[in-house]
């Protein structure tokens, strides 16, 4: 079968297409398998959605395949398919981009061979036949490097192979498919000798179980052979499944060339089946991420305790102190300092932002030169305009703090718009919730809010106004006014001195009774005034 390429590209400019095609390999299609539940994870969540460094595992393989495949690609989904599909679509899987990414459903999870087979119809429909060759990836190998897979494709071409597989040698190969080579029976398997077949862990004889070379689950296979071979698979094995790995023996039987390439380090081939392997992958990916940011000019004072998610971006000369966590889609500008025990999630920080110790910042935007903390909590929807300052024990939600404004101590500010040059005194609280609904507070430019003020929303404080400390503000305050809203103070001259002059209160009858009984520690009777 030959490849007919459909050039029905919609909406892509020529330049855009060229850019999208950069680095992609001609006539190479891709298939990523992501339909299995992953029993060994003992989870209600499908394995491929478990995150590694904050990013669902499946995206590692999908992104890698997208960077390689010059032809279309297919992601096979099944177990919790709706969720996986939603993720892939949010990620940009699309049939209108070039090359296109198809989401294919495997209704029953009958094995990896069956999974790949589900992609056939799409390639047939869209291209009139299979691509010249495919790169096939398991959805659970997030440590796989792009350079390795490129090398595998080159080897496949150079060797004129029909099937090329990636292997690695493990001290502890239990659970993986073993690579059976010629003479492996006598010598325990040796690289360089012809590959005969792959035997799954559960189907392996004792001798085969001792083979340490394992199948990583990454393959390059000629398209026409692939789908013909898949049709011939039989589920004759311990799991009653259609094993993709059986195409190796099929190729060998037909006298077609099968080659194997070993990864440079064993870690790269890690397939995640258990929570322990998940933790290993997490550690390795995190180390790689830290190394990448240090390389890019970011100081990590203690990489071992710095947690940076895969999608985070950090500007040059930013300094991260020990125990900092940066999560999700966070973007940090240049020259920022983030002190210890701070977590930043899905937030945007400008340049030269200082975050002192122990802050939690979620879904917030901090513009250039802002300072926050220690112990500040910015909840979703907070915007700190340039040079604004938020001090200790301040909680903010859905609130904008204007340029140069300050909320330095002990405050709750919610559903509030605060203008420029405003001072929010210690202990200010916006009372935004009446028990059923939320209401807004507006504080215009140059307002001074005295300490211990409660603003009962909805309320507006006009430009330049001053609110006296201790006020409970229930009415709008006009611009430039002074608002005092507290009980008037009464001074009673000499009262304290007169009280001091009274005779001391005598012992109570209860106390005398207890002392008579010799009971040492005596408490006054409840409600007794002393
Ligand atoms: C597979 C290989 C094994 C290899 C190991 C590497 C087979 C038969 N075995 O075993 O040789 O050493 O990977 O990690 O291929 N999947 C589907 N549909 C299914 C079954 C699985 O899409 O019906 C997907 C899974 O979501 C996963 C991938 O295929 O992403 C691999 O499946 P898994 O069950 O983890 O295979 P292993 O037993 O690890
Ligand atoms: Ca696996």
């Amino acid at each position: 079968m030959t490849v007919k390429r459909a050039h029905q590209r919609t909406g892509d400019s020529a330049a855009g297409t060229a850019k999208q095609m950069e680095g992609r390999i001609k006539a190479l299609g891709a298939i990523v398998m992501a339909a299995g539940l992953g029993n060994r994870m003992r989870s209600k969540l499908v394995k491929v959605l478990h995150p590694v460094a904050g990013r669902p595992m499946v995206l590692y393989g999908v992104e890698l395949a997208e960077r390689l495949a010059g032809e279309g690609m297919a992601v096979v989904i099944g177990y919790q398919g709706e969720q996986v599909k939603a993720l892939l679509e949010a990620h940009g899987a699309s049939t209108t981009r070039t090359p296109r990414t198809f989401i294919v459903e495997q209704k029953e999870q009958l094995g990896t061979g069956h999974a790949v087979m589900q992609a056939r119809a799409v390639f047939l429909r869209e291209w009139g036949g299979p691509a010249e060759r495919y790169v096939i990836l398991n959805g659970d190998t997030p440590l796989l490097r792009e350079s390795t897979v490129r090398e595998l494709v080159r080897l496949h071409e150079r060797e004129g192979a029909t099937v090329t597989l990636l292997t690695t040698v493990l001290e502890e190969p239990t659970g993986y498919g073993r690579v059976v080579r010629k003479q492996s029976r006598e010598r325990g398997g040796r690289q360089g000798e012809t590959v005969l077949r792959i035997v799954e862990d559960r189907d392996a004889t004792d001798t085969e179980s001792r083979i340490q070379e394992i199948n990583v689950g990454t393959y390059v296979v000629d398209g026409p052979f692939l789908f013909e071979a898949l049709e011939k698979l039989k589920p004759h094995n311990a799991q009653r499944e259609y094993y993709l790995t059986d195409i190796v023996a099929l190729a060998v039987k037909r006298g077609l060339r099968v080659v194997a390439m070993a990864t440079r380090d064993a870690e790269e081939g890690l397939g995640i089946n258990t929570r322990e392997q998940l933790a290993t992958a997490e550690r390795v990916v995190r180390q790689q991420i830290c190394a990448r940011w240090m390389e890019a000019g970011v100081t990590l004072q203690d990489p071992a305790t710095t947690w940076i998610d895969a999608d985070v971006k950090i500007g040059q000369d930013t300094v991260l102190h020990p125990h900092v966590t940066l999560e999700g889609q966070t973007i940090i500008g240049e020259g920022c300092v983030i002190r210890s025990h701070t977590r930043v999630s899905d937030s945007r920080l400008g340049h030269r932002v200082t975050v002192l110790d122990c802050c939690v910042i979620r879904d917030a935007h901090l513009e250039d030169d802002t300072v926050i903390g220690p112990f500040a909590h910015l909840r979703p929807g907070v915007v700190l305009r340039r040079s604004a300052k938020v001090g200790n024990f301040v909680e903010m939600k859905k609130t904008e703090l204007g340029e140069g404004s300050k909320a330095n101590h002990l405050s709750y500010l919610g559903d509030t718009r605060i203008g420029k040059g405003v001072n929010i005194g210690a202990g200010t609280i916006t009372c935004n919730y009446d028990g059923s609904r939320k209401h807004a507070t507006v504080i215009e430019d140059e307002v001074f809010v005295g300490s211990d003020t409660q603003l009962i929303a909805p309320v507006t404080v006009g430009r330049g106004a001053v609110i006296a400390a201790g006020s409970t503000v229930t009415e709008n305050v006009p611009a430039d006014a002074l608002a005092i809203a507290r009980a008037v103070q009464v001074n009673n001259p000499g009262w304290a001195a007169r009280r001091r002059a009274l005779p001391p209160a005598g012992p109570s009858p209860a106390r005398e009774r207890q002392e008579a009984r010799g009971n040492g520690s005596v408490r006054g009777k409840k409600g007794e005034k002393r």
Side-chain angles (χ1 to χ4, degrees), residues 249-409:
L250 273 169
V252 169
K253 200 165 128 199
R254 287 213 221 152
L256 298 168
R257 194 157 168 67
V258 176
V259 260
M261 184 185 101
T263 58
R264 236 163 276 141
D265 56 75
E267 260 173 358
E268 193 184 350
L270 180 75
I272 297 178
N273 298 318
T274 63
R275 303 263 185 173
E276 202 172 337
Q277 287 165 331
L278 180 67
T280 304
E282 184 85 25
R283 179 176 51 75
V284 175
V285 171
R286 293 213 177 268
Q287 274 169 3
Q288 290 170 356
I289 292 170
C290 286
R292 197 173 81 224
W293 287 117
M294 289 189 279
E295 172 78 29
V298 176
T299 294
L300 272 59
Q301 290 191 336
D302 182 19
T305 62
T306 307
W307 286 61
I308 306 171
D309 276 1
D311 294 331
V312 168
K313 294 185 175 61
I314 312 172
Q316 201 181 23
D317 288 323
T318 281
V319 178
L320 306 180
H321 284 248
H323 296 283
V324 165
T325 300
L326 306 178
E327 294 180 338
Q329 307 295 315
T330 292
I331 300 174
I332 311 276
E334 295 180 1
C336 296
V337 175
I338 304 185
R339 308 279 319 206
S340 298
H341 304 290
T342 283
R343 169 159 70 94
V344 186
S345 303
D346 298 309
S347 295
R348 201 146 48 92
L349 273 59
H351 303 308
R352 301 172 302 277
V353 171
T354 303
V355 181
L356 297 175
D357 310 65
C358 302
C359 292
V360 175
I361 303 172
R362 296 183 287 142
D363 269 310
H365 177 195
L366 282 65
E367 291 188 351
D368 297 351
D369 302 299
T370 46
V371 179
I372 91 153
F375 301 100
H377 185 188
L378 304 188
R379 292 166 50 203
V382 168
V383 180
L384 305 186
R385 297 292 177 204
R386 289 179 80 99
S387 307
K389 197 162 172 280
V390 171
N392 44 192
F393 305 106
V394 174
E395 173 184 352
M396 295 173 77
K397 186 218 76 174
K398 228 169 136 190
T399 285
E400 175 177 337
L401 185 61
E403 192 175 327
S405 292
K406 294 175 183 149
N408 276 340
H409 333 266

Side-chain angles (χ1 to χ4, degrees), residues 40 47 138 140 272-273:
R40 290 162 280 180
K47 176 168 71 179
N138 277 359
D140 63 357
I272 297 178
N273 298 318

Side-chain angles (χ1 to χ4, degrees), residues 448-480:
F448 180 93
V449 178
S451 296
D452 191 28
T453 291
Q454 299 107 62
L455 297 143
I456 316 283
V459 70
T460 297
V461 182
R463 194 191 161 95
V466 171
I467 298 175
S471 290
T472 299
V473 179
T474 53
E475 305 286 334
N476 290 346
V477 180
D480 294 322

Side-chain angles (χ1 to χ4, degrees), residues 33 35-36 40 47 106 109 111-112 138-140 177 200 215-216 273:
M33 292 175 274
R40 290 162 280 180
K47 176 168 71 179
Q106 183 191 24
Q109 284 75 63
T112 48
N138 277 359
D140 63 357
E200 289 306 298
N215 166 36
V216 167
N273 298 318

Side-chain angles (χ1 to χ4, degrees), residues 61-237:
V62 167
E63 283 184 1
L64 200 164
E66 276 173 355
R67 289 194 296 269
L68 292 181
E71 291 295 332
M73 61 176 274
V75 186
V76 186
I77 62 164
Y79 193 83
Q80 288 176 4
E82 284 308 309
Q83 279 159 266
V84 181
K85 189 172 176 205
L87 169 79
L88 294 172
E89 281 171 355
H91 171 70
S94 145
T95 52
T96 55
R97 290 200 322 191
T98 310
R100 293 176 291 168
T101 300
F102 293 92
I103 297 170
V104 175
E105 199 192 350
Q106 183 191 24
K107 289 206 174 66
E108 270 182 287
Q109 284 75 63
L110 302 178
T112 48
H114 183 256
V116 172
M117 195 61 169
Q118 308 311 304
R120 180 162 81 161
V122 154
F123 291 108
L124 213 72
R125 188 182 75 219
E126 300 294 327
W127 284 273
E132 268 172 44
R133 53 211 191 290
Y134 288 95
V135 57
I136 305 173
L137 308 176
N138 277 359
D140 63 357
T141 48
L143 301 182
L144 192 63
R145 285 196 200 98
E146 183 178 328
S147 57
T148 304
V149 184
R150 283 188 189 278
E151 220 179 305
L152 196 73
V153 177
R154 279 197 299 271
L155 180 72
H156 183 83
E157 285 168 18
R158 206 168 54 234
E159 294 281 326
T162 301
V163 179
T164 303
L165 53 126
L166 190 63
T167 71
T168 199
V169 177
L170 296 181
E171 287 279 308
E172 179 44 66
T174 310
Y176 290 96
R178 312 293 208 285
V179 180
V180 182
R181 293 179 184 259
K182 216 177 195 167
Q183 297 171 17
S184 64
R185 247 173 262 275
E186 298 88 62
R187 305 198 200 166
R190 242 177 46 183
Q191 286 181 47
E193 290 170 306
T194 324
V195 174
L196 293 180
R197 61 197 170 87
I198 294 169
V199 62
E200 289 306 298
D201 190 54
R202 283 187 242 207
D203 303 305
T205 62
D206 285 351
T207 325
E208 285 165 343
S209 293
R210 282 196 286 276
I211 300 174
Q212 288 179 312
E213 189 186 8
I214 63 109
N215 166 36
V216 167
T218 303
Y219 322 82
V220 181
V221 186
D222 280 358
F225 167 80
L226 173 67
F227 293 110
E228 276 171 54
L230 290 178
E231 272 190 348
K232 301 203 169 60
L233 295 184
K234 298 269 183 330
H236 295 162
N237 50 60

